[in-house]
Amino acid sequence: MLKQNMVSPVGDILKFLSILMLLVITVISQPTFAAVEGEPEGVIMKNPGADLWREVRQRNIAIEGISQIKSVDSGILINPEADRWTRFRVDQLVNYAAIILAGLALLLLVFYLLRGKIKVEGGLSRQMLHRFSDYERVLHWTLAIVFLFLAITGLTLLLGRTFLIPLFGQEFFSLLASSSKEGHNLFGPIFFASLIMMILRFVKRNIYEKGDLTWLVKGGGIIGKSHVSGGFFNMGEKTWYWIVILIGLLISVSGLILVSPNFGQGRVIMELSHIVHVISAIILIAVSFGHMYLGSVGTEGALESMKTGYVDVNWAESHHDRWAKECRDNNRVISADKFNRLQGKINSGTEESGSVAVEGNK
Amino acid sequence: MARMKFYCDAERCIECNACVTACKNEHEIPWGVNRRRVVTIKDGQQGERSLSVACMHCSDAPCAAVCPVDCFYTTDDGVVLHDKDICIGCGYCFYACPFGAPQFPENAAFSSRGKMDKCTFCAGGPEDDHSSDEYKKYGRNRLAEGKLPLCAEMCSTKALLAGDANMLSDIYRKRIINRGASVLNWGVNYDKVKLNT
Amino acid sequence: MATFIDGFLWYFALAVFVIGVSGNLVTIILASRKVDLSVPRDSAFSGALRTLFSRFLPDQHMLSRIGIQVVAGYMFHLGLFILLFFAAPHVAFLEENILGFGWTAAPHWLFIVASQFAFLGIIMLWLYRMTNSVSRLISKLDDHVATILTFLVMLSGCLALLESFETLRLLHRFLVELLLIYFPFSRLMHAFTFVPSRLFTGAWFGRRGVDS
């Protein structure tokens, strides 16, 4: 609009104009144009170049025209976010994801070699506590299986071009990537469903309470040997739970936006969803490494709770003392013999091989 | 070797969409897929202009950079093509392309996208030239016949140009000179201004 | 390999399946059973029919005790039914290779949602079998093999959803053929035997005037 003011209808004034241009005083030139208004007028037509390309491309926002091709974003000629997304994926995402995950796995290995398995204080007793019901364990392993499947297929798509194509060749990797993509798309909503069930079942026991801060201060007993206090879930487990739920929801929602491209969401939304999806997924996979480590080789007796639903009383004492006390008060402690009978291990004989540790390692 | 490019002259494009139709017809493209589209800027306002846009066959193509299975390749003519046998239909090229060139055939709820389809500069695909396989997946290979892309060849106003980049810029430069764009005052058409008087 | 899976193995599997299933059913139907000489109190026929359909509904008393199994069981079986008989590629396959006629396939989204239910169901059911100590004890190798084989068939089908890789299609078909061969010799037979079982029980109850 500014340009229109600067140039008023002019005819035969080229000489005049050149002189003015030489003077380079536009402000003074304005009244001069007005003075030659009476001259024969030419048709004013702006060179569309400037305005057109301004409309076609802006640095930050996509401008929308119209198109006879009716599809999402078909009116946008240039989407500036596309380049940013490309740079993010090519320059940062692939490298950092690989470094973070590989580094973390290495770190856990070093930690295991240094710290070893965290033993149950006072060894395993011959008394058990019921910790997780069948449904809770089914839920846990459902989420775990679906999560692992999604993590493997997702990482195949993310890192495969860099690491797997040199290994398998392009054609076989394409087959692998195609199966990964289809599997990932189909199992994604299953993860969402399991996550919802997880929220409904466990949310009550995972609300933070008074004693949790002490746990945090003492470092959860991972570092050092001090005794840390905890309820049914201790502070670390609660934090893991909330990471799973919150980041899991983020992953699920962004994933649903990506998996159903037919609800009119444009490319910019999908690019953002992809970034959210992949960053939160990397975080969740990274933290899950820690969970899998602590739940299996890291802590003695922890896996038992998810395998059989029962835990050793001494294990409960060292990790969940408040819960253990509550169970003792309510007479919920059962003997190892009864536990074996409940597990259907009657044949092994209760007298000769009574040790739970032996049974548990089967 | 030639460096193939499209150029759409916004001063000439009349939004007839014939390039879109010609492309669809020539390559028998399925319903819902449009390798080329015409976009009108400032529709109905002063300065309305139209541009026909398809794959730009970028020198450093972002689609090729993000493809998780690395299915893109650039021909000696500078045409960016992809291998549909390798493509898994993930849609990353669609996110990466600023021009919205990659197209996907299926769009139903929870559907997986089919394999990507995009403008091939009428240069077919990795299959043997003129094979029925190539035609089925990528459409006609006009470049191998010694012809240019149909959209440009049949453009009635010669707005859409296709061919070697140097030749295109020569043609466009001549047009600009004849149109009389001036460096005196950018944005002004001096067509009616009498020079040399 | 492709000609073997698409050719010989397919016909062999189909033959084993058809002969095995019909053989099993004939054996069951022709099995001699005690003749009931008592005066019928009610129609055995209506009892049989009623039971055949009423057993599709969940039992109220069971629902409260084994809720996971009931819910996951319905999810799995209904999902599997839809994806088996109404997925577009399955309908096309049946029309081309076996039946010669087809029917309207489910829309793609329904196929996908159904298979998601089926997947969630089968995973939870198998995990329940493994975690619940009673279920674990009464499970035989057959149960695990049948479950895992079914799961693998479903998974390979899910991985081949793009329908563009020959290897994935062959893998799916190969696993289907293994399942067909295994079917008549396993508890998977319940897909057919539930009908005579319910009919027999229903008739027996109906004859005694028990409303079940």
Side-chain angles (χ1 to χ4, degrees):
Chain A
M1 292 306 104
L2 210 69
K3 281 198 180 73
Q4 268 178 341
N5 294 339
M6 274 158 58
V7 187
S8 54
V10 277
D12 247 344
I13 54 154
L14 191 69
K15 263 185 200 166
F16 212 153
L17 191 69
S18 2
I19 297 161
L20 287 172
M21 288 290 287
L22 283 170
L23 291 171
V24 205
I25 309 166
T26 356
V27 190
I28 296 171
S29 77
Q30 291 288 359
T32 325
F33 282 142
V36 289
E37 199 91 56
E39 299 285 312
E41 289 185 11
V43 178
I44 288 299
M45 206 173 75
K46 291 197 318 175
N47 183 331
D51 282 353
L52 172 71
W53 297 116
R54 203 176 290 120
E55 287 295 322
V56 167
R57 179 168 197 187
Q58 287 280 339
R59 220 171 272 281
N60 294 314
I61 43 162
I63 289 163
E64 195 153 4
I66 63 148
S67 177
Q68 296 303 312
I69 307 300
K70 299 297 177 209
S71 63
V72 178
D73 281 356
S74 66
I76 293 173
L77 277 168
I78 295 178
N79 167 23
E81 295 297 331
D83 194 43
R84 250 165 276 165
W85 181 81
T86 305
R87 294 270 69 84
F88 166 73
R89 182 177 164 84
V90 175
D91 297 341
Q92 293 160 348
L93 181 60
V94 175
N95 305 333
Y96 290 149
I99 291 168
I100 288 172
L101 294 181
L104 205 72
L106 207 68
L107 205 70
L108 281 174
L109 186 70
V110 171
F111 183 79
Y112 178 66
L113 293 175
L114 289 177
R115 185 74 168 80
K117 200 170 201 160
I118 299 173
K119 295 278 180 205
V120 171
E121 255 176 78
L124 295 175
S125 67
R126 282 178 54 90
Q127 291 181 313
M128 308 298 282
L129 287 175
H130 185 241
R131 184 158 169 81
F132 292 118
S133 71
D134 292 341
Y135 175 62
E136 287 163 351
R137 278 175 292 142
V138 167
L139 205 51
H140 171 263
W141 290 115
T142 305
L143 195 68
I145 288 173
V146 174
F147 172 76
L148 276 182
F149 180 78
L150 288 171
I152 292 167
T153 51
L155 288 176
T156 304
L157 289 170
L158 180 63
L159 305 173
R161 180 170 170 174
T162 323
F163 298 102
L164 296 182
I165 289 184
L167 229 64
F168 298 138
Q170 204 180 15
E171 267 178 45
F172 183 73
F173 177 70
S174 169
L175 187 147
L176 209 63
S178 172
S179 358
S180 294
K181 180 207 135 203
E182 301 300 336
H184 197 88
N185 285 358
L186 196 113
F187 273 74
I190 302 178
F191 176 80
F192 189 39
S194 330
L195 196 71
I196 300 280
M197 291 194 276
M198 202 76 174
I199 296 175
L200 295 177
R201 186 67 181 191
F202 285 105
V203 72
K204 249 192 222 162
R205 277 170 277 175
N206 275 292
I207 294 163
Y208 288 109
E209 52 194 8
K210 213 171 64 188
D212 290 335
L213 206 62
T214 349
W215 190 95
L216 189 66
V217 172
K218 289 187 177 177
I222 292 171
I223 316 142
K225 300 243 173 204
S226 62
H227 197 76
V228 285
S229 170
F232 186 89
F233 286 123
N234 63 36
M235 164 83 182
E237 287 165 337
K238 283 178 185 172
T239 308
W240 161 241
Y241 174 84
W242 288 112
I243 288 175
V244 171
I245 299 303
L246 296 178
I247 295 190
L249 282 176
L250 218 55
I251 293 177
S252 302
V253 172
S254 57
L256 286 176
I257 293 173
L258 290 168
V259 82
S260 45
N262 56 311
F263 291 110
Q265 66 270 45
R267 273 172 290 167
V268 178
I269 294 173
M270 292 177 113
E271 284 151 7
L272 284 175
S273 301
H274 175 269
I275 291 173
V276 169
H277 191 74
V278 79
I279 290 179
S280 39
I282 296 289
I283 294 173
L284 196 58
I285 293 171
V287 186
S288 78
F289 278 6
H291 173 74
M292 286 187 265
Y293 169 81
L294 286 174
S296 57
V297 293
T299 321
E300 187 182 16
L303 194 59
E304 290 307 303
S305 64
M306 270 304 160
K307 256 166 70 178
T308 62
Y310 289 86
V311 291
D312 196 90
V313 170
N314 281 356
W315 179 88
E317 284 290 353
S318 49
H319 299 286
H320 306 276
D321 53 336
R322 273 179 277 141
W323 174 66
K325 189 177 177 302
E326 190 192 313
C327 289
R328 274 190 209 284
D329 293 347
N330 294 320
N331 279 328
R332 277 193 266 150
V333 181
I334 62 163
S335 69
D337 293 344
K338 191 182 178 198
F339 166 72
N340 283 342
R341 249 179 290 128
L342 283 171
Q343 291 298 304
K345 291 170 187 163
I346 328 163
N347 298 336
S348 62
T350 45
E351 259 73 54
E352 309 96 75
S353 61
S355 168
V356 181
V358 174
E359 295 290 342
N361 285 340
K362 261 189 184 172
Chain B
M1 250 343 213
R3 183 89 184 80
M4 290 302 180
K5 284 289 169 205
F6 280 121
Y7 189 85
C8 183
D9 192 340
E11 298 304 292
R12 282 176 175 235
C13 180
I14 55 169
E15 201 203 348
C16 67
N17 277 294
C19 46
V20 180
T21 316
C23 175
K24 279 191 84 93
N25 186 54
E26 179 77 350
H27 303 299
E28 291 184 9
I29 297 167
W31 179 253
V33 173
N34 295 287
R35 292 183 177 182
R36 179 169 280 290
R37 68 187 196 280
V38 178
V39 178
T40 304
I41 299 284
K42 287 188 168 181
D43 186 46
Q45 302 166 26
Q46 203 185 8
E48 169 183 326
R49 288 293 179 277
S50 297
L51 283 167
S52 173
V53 62
C55 173
M56 293 290 191
H57 301 281
C58 309
S59 312
D60 183 13
C63 50
V66 297
C67 178
V69 290
D70 202 8
C71 77
F72 290 89
Y73 63 99
T74 308
T75 67
D76 295 337
D77 292 329
V79 177
V80 176
L81 296 178
H82 70 295
D83 189 340
K84 282 195 183 180
D85 292 339
I86 301 292
C87 173
I88 59 167
C90 66
Y92 285 0
C93 47
F94 176 67
Y95 306 151
C97 178
F99 309 108
Q103 302 279 310
F104 294 89
E106 210 182 352
N107 254 348
F110 302 119
S111 73
S112 54
R113 297 181 178 85
K115 305 217 164 202
M116 190 270 276
D117 189 80
K118 75 170 188 68
C119 161
T120 61
F121 209 86
C122 290
E127 274 82 359
D128 291 337
D129 287 347
H130 311 310
S131 61
S132 66
D133 234 20
E134 184 192 50
Y135 181 70
K136 228 164 62 192
K137 288 179 194 163
Y138 309 96
R140 207 174 295 286
N141 188 343
R142 291 172 58 89
L143 233 56
E145 295 170 18
K147 297 170 184 166
L148 285 171
L150 189 67
C151 51
E153 282 213 341
M154 51 66 60
C155 178
S156 57
T157 59
K158 291 284 165 271
L160 188 62
L161 303 172
D164 178 40
N166 290 332
M167 289 168 79
L168 289 196
S169 51
D170 281 347
I171 294 169
Y172 191 62
R173 193 179 304 118
K174 277 176 200 154
R175 286 187 186 175
I176 295 292
I177 292 167
N178 291 337
R179 261 178 225 157
S182 169
V183 288
L184 283 177
N185 225 334
W186 198 44
V188 181
N189 191 322
Y190 287 90
D191 209 29
K192 292 288 170 70
V193 174
K194 284 185 200 161
L195 300 169
N196 303 325
T197 44
Chain C
M1 195 67 192
T3 47
F4 175 68
I5 292 173
D6 280 341
F8 173 76
L9 191 60
W10 165 244
Y11 292 110
F12 177 72
L14 211 58
V16 170
F17 177 74
V18 171
I19 295 169
V21 167
S22 43
N24 273 339
L25 288 177
V26 166
T27 315
I28 289 167
I29 292 162
L30 294 185
S32 61
R33 49 186 82 89
K34 207 161 66 180
V35 184
D36 193 347
L37 296 172
S38 62
V39 182
R41 292 186 187 171
D42 207 343
S43 159
F45 182 73
S46 68
L49 266 187
R50 189 175 59 239
T51 310
L52 177 60
F53 292 105
S54 71
R55 289 295 192 274
F56 278 117
L57 299 171
D59 185 280
Q60 285 303 315
H61 307 287
M62 299 288 261
L63 191 63
S64 59
R65 290 182 155 269
I66 49 167
I68 318 169
Q69 275 174 308
V70 173
V71 174
Y74 272 98
M75 272 161 55
F76 169 68
H77 284 97
L78 289 175
L80 188 68
F81 181 77
I82 293 173
L83 84 88
L84 189 58
F85 292 111
F86 292 97
H90 292 169
V91 173
F93 179 84
L94 290 174
E95 183 174 4
E96 276 169 34
N97 292 293
I98 300 176
L99 299 170
F101 62 91
W103 50 87
T104 317
H108 191 77
W109 67 265
L110 181 61
F111 163 35
I112 296 297
V113 170
S115 55
Q116 281 160 346
F117 273 104
F119 268 115
L120 187 57
I122 196 173
I123 292 173
M124 289 183 78
L125 286 173
W126 186 72
L127 285 172
Y128 186 79
R129 195 185 277 291
M130 293 301 285
T131 49
N132 181 282
S133 44
V134 176
S135 295
R136 192 171 59 231
L137 284 171
I138 61 171
S139 293
K140 297 247 164 57
L141 182 68
D142 173 35
D143 294 301
H144 295 292
V145 173
T147 310
I148 290 169
L149 203 53
T150 311
F151 179 77
L152 286 179
V153 168
M154 285 164 63
L155 186 69
S156 64
C158 149
L159 299 185
L161 268 174
L162 192 62
E163 291 178 51
S164 77
F165 291 90
E166 185 67 4
T167 318
L168 292 176
R169 184 188 68 79
L170 285 173
L171 180 71
H172 184 51
R173 192 154 177 186
F174 176 68
L175 287 166
V176 169
E177 284 157 2
L178 286 188
L179 189 76
L180 286 179
I181 294 170
Y182 185 67
F183 196 97
F185 310 105
S186 70
R187 294 181 182 177
L188 291 172
M189 270 304 293
H190 75 272
F192 293 96
T193 51
F194 83 94
V195 179
S197 162
R198 284 182 192 176
L199 287 178
F200 181 77
T201 318
W204 196 58
F205 280 156
R207 197 181 156 80
R208 293 164 151 218
V210 179
D211 184 22
S212 69

